Amino acid sequence: MNASAQPGISRRRLLRAGSTGTVVLAGLAAGCTAAREDAAGDAPPSDQPTGSSDTLAETQPTREAQYLPFEGVHQTGITHTPVAAQGLVAAFDVTATERDGLRTLMQNLTTESRALMAGEEIPQRDPAFPPVDSGLLGEQPPPDNLTIVVSVGDSLFDDRFGLADRKPVELRRMPFLANDRLDPERSHGDILISIEAEHADTIQFALRQLMRATRREMVLRWMVDGYTRGTNPRSGAGAPRNLLGFKDGTANLDASDEELMDRFVWLAEEDDQPAWAVGGSYHVVRQIRMFVEFWDRTQLAEQEALIGRHKLSGAPLGEDAEDVEPDYSDDPDGEVIALDAHIRLANPRTPESEESLILRRGFNFSRGFDRAGQLDQGLAFVCYQRSLEKGFLTVQGRLSGEPLEEYIVTVGGGFFFALPGVTDAAGHLGEGLLA
């Protein structure tokens, strides 16, 4: 069979692969007890420059199950590493109608999140009443690297709570972007809660406790859960694989590098933003459906050309190590890595594109199959950035029209703002916003 007659691979891509002397392979760049008792009543994966050349052994944080701190200038779950093995994001609509009700909601979320992350022992109650918890984790939840991040959506700043003049400047309702097919029932929301832990039962326990504590003030709108395989989201640390089979997040920012986080993730005092937002971060969630059956029938050479990395090793095409930075100046015509390959569009590695770096923290999801019998699988793309315009929206603009769009579609998610952390044991999330 000649090249032009082979299904799933173009003659142009085959010629390009042949020019490297072999078939090139690629990788997808892509509390308190009393309060708890009372409460009982596209962007597809991006590719970013590496921040260090340290070896894996030197850079992998100790993977020891522990209780993690709730208090801090920033919310712990945004940058804690290694990323836990399981993840869930859930969006809610606020049913409280006044600012005092919203404040109560934030106080209850804070109380419960603090207690859950600290692994507080569950108080026992008179059997004549419903128990204080679901019982999923026994008398005392074991340490499991549980983190909870609370973010707010654009809709929270409508006319219900008088907060319009306090909205972060770049926060907006997520628009339809190129290749989007957004389902309103899987999109947007007033509040977003992100939960990570090593085990699914810990996440389900936390979700039910949080919903139990806030059931008077908000209702669930949509959620998606999945797994990450718990790898470290930083360069050179062996990225996990997405459901297309490619390593995903190889060139992610190093979340332990405070200088990088200050530059690319956290809002600062010098930014033209409301004062309460300093220490927070713009938070994007995209539910990216992958047409995995179609993908599995595509030739390996075509898959790798679309992505720009070797599938097995994760190395850029023509290289032999995952953490090698591709040098596009030596390949101006895309003979090795196509000009429209995913990793090249996501991060052209130019001085101008450096300002669009983002911190990614997504996970794979699998939720059965659709009415056509096709697997409903994909990537919950999650990223944080100091500027929505310079970060996600710029990257997504470069990816618009990429050939990979034939295999993926974004069906939900939203734009949110991750609240600054709580530094005072008596404080609560959103305290500055609601002051």
Side-chain angles (χ1 to χ4, degrees):
M1 180 180 294
N2 62 45
S4 61
Q6 295 180 53
I9 180 168
S10 67
R11 179 178 176 81
R12 177 173 60 91
R13 294 194 185 283
L14 185 63
L15 288 173
R16 182 184 304 121
S19 70
T20 66
T22 183
V23 175
V24 289
L25 311 175
L28 184 58
C32 71
T33 299
R36 298 185 80 193
E37 290 177 330
D38 291 340
D42 258 7
S46 64
D47 198 72
Q48 301 181 348
T50 57
S52 166
S53 59
D54 296 341
T55 66
L56 173 62
E58 292 172 334
T59 56
Q60 281 284 25
T62 302
R63 192 164 196 81
E64 178 183 355
Q66 56 187 316
Y67 299 118
L68 299 175
F70 173 79
E71 275 84 13
V73 175
H74 315 293
Q75 295 194 68
T76 302
I78 298 175
T79 56
H80 176 72
T81 57
V83 175
Q86 305 287 325
L88 176 148
V89 291
F92 295 82
D93 291 329
V94 174
T95 55
T97 57
E98 298 178 350
R99 190 181 297 186
D100 284 346
L102 181 58
R103 182 178 293 105
T104 298
L105 166 60
M106 289 298 178
Q107 291 170 337
N108 288 340
L109 277 177
T110 301
T111 298
E112 197 63 37
S113 297
R114 180 182 280 125
L116 286 164
M117 289 176 63
E120 286 189 5
E121 185 175 350
I122 305 298
Q124 299 303 306
R125 210 178 195 193
D126 187 323
F129 295 90
V132 176
D133 76 315
S134 61
L136 288 177
L137 300 180
E139 290 186 10
Q140 181 173 8
D144 203 28
N145 299 330
L146 171 68
T147 61
I148 298 164
V149 173
V150 176
S151 306
V152 295
D154 169 78
S155 54
L156 194 74
F157 297 88
D158 58 18
D159 58 2
R160 288 172 293 171
F161 309 110
L163 299 174
D165 61 348
R166 303 183 184 187
K167 188 170 73 169
V169 174
E170 297 183 28
L171 184 61
R172 71 190 71 167
R173 183 181 176 89
M174 186 174 75
F176 279 82
L177 301 172
N179 198 42
D180 281 3
R181 206 180 304 160
L182 300 181
D183 179 349
E185 295 185 354
R186 293 180 175 178
S187 305
H188 317 304
D190 294 329
I191 303 283
L192 185 79
I193 297 179
S194 305
I195 307 173
E196 293 179 354
E198 302 298 344
H199 297 88
D201 55 359
T202 301
I203 287 184
Q204 294 305 320
F205 177 80
L207 175 66
R208 287 170 63 174
Q209 290 300 102
L210 291 166
M211 291 180 64
R212 185 187 184 109
T214 57
R215 65 187 180 190
R216 297 187 182 93
E217 293 91 21
M218 67 179 189
V219 296
L220 188 60
R221 181 181 178 93
W222 58 264
M223 73 175 194
V224 59
D225 61 347
Y227 64 92
T228 66
R229 283 194 176 272
T231 53
N232 187 9
R234 56 152 302 161
S235 60
R241 293 183 186 273
N242 59 35
L243 292 176
L244 297 182
F246 283 81
K247 293 198 172 188
D248 195 342
T250 296
N252 201 7
L253 292 173
D254 180 356
S256 66
D257 188 324
E258 294 183 4
E259 185 176 340
L260 278 179
M261 296 302 98
D262 287 342
R263 180 179 177 188
F264 293 112
V265 176
W266 310 125
L267 267 68
E269 291 182 358
E270 59 265 32
D271 294 335
D272 184 20
Q273 299 281 350
W276 71 267
V278 172
S281 186
Y282 288 101
H283 185 181
V284 173
V285 177
R286 304 265 288 172
Q287 299 184 50
I288 302 175
R289 171 88 180 268
M290 295 173 169
F291 303 124
V292 293
E293 291 98 336
F294 183 26
W295 182 256
D296 289 344
R297 295 194 298 269
T298 301
Q299 292 186 352
L300 178 60
E302 177 71 359
Q303 293 182 6
E304 294 165 338
L306 287 169
I307 303 303
R309 288 186 181 272
H310 296 286
K311 189 169 188 176
L312 293 181
S313 68
L317 293 179
E319 303 291 348
D320 57 6
E322 178 184 351
D323 60 352
V324 171
E325 294 186 22
D327 185 355
Y328 298 130
S329 64
D330 287 343
D331 183 29
D333 298 322
E335 293 296 324
V336 179
I337 298 178
L339 300 177
D340 56 5
H342 179 76
I343 67 167
R344 192 160 185 166
L345 291 173
N347 187 357
R349 298 176 188 269
T350 64
E352 295 76 19
S353 65
E354 187 174 350
E355 289 304 312
S356 60
L357 300 185
I358 54 180
L359 177 65
R360 299 181 50 210
R361 206 175 174 96
F363 54 85
N364 297 322
F365 68 79
S366 178
R367 47 192 177 197
F369 57 91
D370 61 19
R371 293 181 178 179
Q374 300 295 302
L375 292 170
D376 185 2
Q377 299 184 346
L379 174 71
F381 174 91
V382 177
C383 71
Y384 298 92
Q385 56 257 275
R386 183 173 176 178
S387 169
L388 191 56
E389 293 287 349
K390 293 181 180 178
F392 171 79
L393 287 171
T394 295
V395 174
Q396 188 64 26
R398 290 197 295 260
L399 291 169
S400 177
E402 65 170 327
L404 185 62
E405 288 182 352
E406 189 175 358
Y407 299 90
I408 60 175
V409 63
T410 299
V411 297
F415 289 174
F416 301 90
F417 185 80
L419 297 169
V422 177
T423 57
D424 183 344
H428 65 81
L429 290 162
E431 192 165 15
L433 169 64
L434 300 172

